[in-house]
Amino acid sequence: MIQYMKVGFLLSMLFLVPSVSYGQYPVFGDERRPKGNISSFMESCYDTSQGEKVLVSKNKFNYDQKGILIERIVYDTIDSAKVNQKVSYIYEDGELFEEVGQTYRIRYAYDERGKKLAEKYTSADVNYLKRYEYNILGQVIKLINYSSEGRLLYSESFKYDEQKVLLKFTHTVPDSTNKSYQAIYSSDVKGKRLSERVYAPNGYILYTSKFAYDSENQLMEEVRYNYSGAFDFKKSFKYVYDKTGNWTSLINKNKTSSYVTIREIQYN
């Protein structure tokens, strides 16, 4: 959920602190707004690796009558009825200006076209500033993350093909080759990602992944191969859908663990 900030505030942010998650596929649940006219939805994820359901995440998202996210409620994983934190979303001129929780705060800055230029995160333990750059088509081509002291934490660059589909992604951590990498993607004619090849900074391949999807275009399977092309492991994703086409149950099995996420959707 995004929103406008004045350039003057952006400049003040940049002087205060000189500065992604790149969420690719669901693990515990994607926390994306379901389709249709909804008032809220809740995702509860359980670890089932040991044969029992152990709650690891529970979040509820509330929307106004226009379908705008206004609140996220984070529940305790021991007492699932207990609220750990409420997060509010504040808008100006139709764009997300500030995200405020009890333990953190995020402020967003935009240009005159509505493109996000910066995101400042503040909490008791972690503070950082992310800055974004775009190409003429409005696609993100660079993300830079700085600490509160102005130290570069990492940078990310994005390169697209002629069809505007992400072709290459580079993650660079200063003075840390084991945390830096580059990924090359292949996609079908509709832009759906079919495979990725991930390389170390020295050009050596780390692994290759191939992806398959179900009839609803949700990720169904990821198969990973090691640097020599031998099978490494497989992740599988199985969904149950409601009549609207939204998933209400997700079973995620990984190499050494498994999870089930239940999504409860309230429609208007």
Side-chain angles (χ1 to χ4, degrees), residues 6 11 21 31 41 60 90 95-96 122 137 173 177 188 211 221:
K6 305 304 178 189
L11 294 177
S21 310
E31 295 188 345
F41 77 97
K60 184 178 182 181
I90 303 168
E95 300 289 345
L96 181 61
T122 305
L137 299 176
V173 180
T177 55
D188 63 15
F211 309 102
E221 184 178 89

Side-chain angles (χ1 to χ4, degrees), residues 238-253:
K238 184 178 180 181
Y239 304 83
V240 174
Y241 296 93
D242 65 13
K243 295 180 179 179
T244 309
N246 290 312
W247 67 264
T248 55
S249 174
L250 163 60
I251 298 175
N252 168 217
K253 293 185 178 181

Side-chain angles (χ1 to χ4, degrees), residues 81-104:
K82 178 183 176 182
V83 174
N84 266 354
Q85 180 169 209
K86 289 187 176 182
V87 179
S88 300
Y89 298 86
I90 303 168
Y91 298 82
E92 284 186 4
D93 301 326
E95 300 289 345
L96 181 61
F97 168 76
E98 194 170 31
E99 179 178 334
V100 183
Q102 292 163 246
T103 59
Y104 76 96

Side-chain angles (χ1 to χ4, degrees), residues 165-225:
V165 176
L166 184 63
L167 176 65
K168 181 167 68 174
F169 170 74
T170 303
H171 180 84
T172 304
V173 180
D175 304 319
S176 179
T177 55
N178 63 331
K179 294 182 180 179
S180 301
Y181 63 91
Q182 181 180 95
I184 307 295
Y185 306 109
S186 68
S187 305
D188 63 15
V189 293
K190 295 183 178 180
K192 186 187 303 178
R193 186 168 301 164
L194 300 178
S195 68
E196 69 175 356
R197 292 172 65 87
V198 178
Y199 298 85
N202 60 9
Y204 287 111
I205 188 166
L206 298 175
Y207 63 85
T208 299
S209 294
K210 294 186 177 180
F211 309 102
Y213 302 83
D214 65 13
S215 59
E216 297 291 332
N217 291 321
Q218 291 278 10
L219 180 68
M220 180 175 64
E221 184 178 89
E222 175 187 348
V223 181
R224 181 170 295 187
Y225 304 87

Side-chain angles (χ1 to χ4, degrees), residues 1-266:
M1 312 280 88
I2 308 179
Q3 122 69 312
Y4 268 85
M5 263 178 95
K6 305 304 178 189
V7 174
F9 179 76
L10 167 65
L11 294 177
S12 67
M13 286 174 59
L14 300 186
F15 281 115
L16 285 173
V17 186
S19 172
V20 39
S21 310
Y22 186 61
Q24 187 175 341
Y25 296 113
V27 177
F28 299 146
D30 51 28
E31 295 188 345
R32 295 177 182 172
R33 185 187 187 282
K35 298 180 291 186
N37 185 11
I38 69 168
S39 60
S40 67
F41 77 97
M42 181 183 294
E43 285 189 12
S44 302
C45 175
Y46 301 87
D47 186 337
T48 56
S49 306
Q50 306 302 319
E52 298 182 1
K53 290 173 61 176
V54 179
L55 184 66
V56 295
S57 175
K58 181 180 178 182
N59 288 270
K60 184 178 182 181
F61 301 82
N62 293 321
Y63 295 80
D64 66 12
Q65 293 182 345
K66 296 181 180 179
I68 303 299
L69 179 65
I70 56 175
E71 182 183 54
R72 176 167 62 96
I73 302 174
V74 183
Y75 291 88
D76 186 78
T77 55
I78 304 300
D79 180 358
S80 61
K82 178 183 176 182
V83 174
N84 266 354
Q85 180 169 209
K86 289 187 176 182
V87 179
S88 300
Y89 298 86
I90 303 168
Y91 298 82
E92 284 186 4
D93 301 326
E95 300 289 345
L96 181 61
F97 168 76
E98 194 170 31
E99 179 178 334
V100 183
Q102 292 163 246
T103 59
Y104 76 96
R105 179 188 302 265
I106 306 177
R107 283 196 169 185
Y108 302 91
Y110 301 80
D111 65 13
E112 65 279 0
R113 298 171 298 171
K115 297 297 182 184
K116 182 165 63 174
L117 294 178
E119 160 184 334
K120 185 179 180 182
Y121 181 97
T122 305
S123 72
D125 302 316
V126 179
N127 296 278
Y128 65 77
L129 179 68
K130 293 181 179 179
R131 297 175 63 184
Y132 299 82
E133 297 178 14
Y134 299 82
N135 60 20
I136 59 175
L137 299 176
Q139 298 169 300
V140 177
I141 57 173
K142 194 168 187 179
L143 182 156
I144 307 173
N145 192 332
Y146 294 95
S147 71
S148 58
E149 296 80 23
R151 179 173 58 89
L152 176 63
L153 299 176
Y154 66 84
S155 64
E156 296 177 341
S157 63
F158 307 79
K159 183 178 180 180
Y160 306 86
D161 63 18
E162 297 80 3
Q163 307 302 318
K164 303 179 183 179
V165 176
L166 184 63
L167 176 65
K168 181 167 68 174
F169 170 74
T170 303
H171 180 84
T172 304
V173 180
D175 304 319
S176 179
T177 55
N178 63 331
K179 294 182 180 179
S180 301
Y181 63 91
Q182 181 180 95
I184 307 295
Y185 306 109
S186 68
S187 305
D188 63 15
V189 293
K190 295 183 178 180
K192 186 187 303 178
R193 186 168 301 164
L194 300 178
S195 68
E196 69 175 356
R197 292 172 65 87
V198 178
Y199 298 85
N202 60 9
Y204 287 111
I205 188 166
L206 298 175
Y207 63 85
T208 299
S209 294
K210 294 186 177 180
F211 309 102
Y213 302 83
D214 65 13
S215 59
E216 297 291 332
N217 291 321
Q218 291 278 10
L219 180 68
M220 180 175 64
E221 184 178 89
E222 175 187 348
V223 181
R224 181 170 295 187
Y225 304 87
N226 65 19
Y227 64 94
S228 65
F231 173 82
D232 191 0
F233 65 85
K234 180 174 73 172
K235 297 179 182 180
S236 63
F237 305 85
K238 184 178 180 181
Y239 304 83
V240 174
Y241 296 93
D242 65 13
K243 295 180 179 179
T244 309
N246 290 312
W247 67 264
T248 55
S249 174
L250 163 60
I251 298 175
N252 168 217
K253 293 185 178 181
N254 300 309
K255 185 177 181 180
T256 58
S257 59
S258 62
Y259 301 89
V260 59
T261 301
I262 305 300
R263 187 158 72 167
E264 303 169 58
I265 306 170
Q266 299 297 320

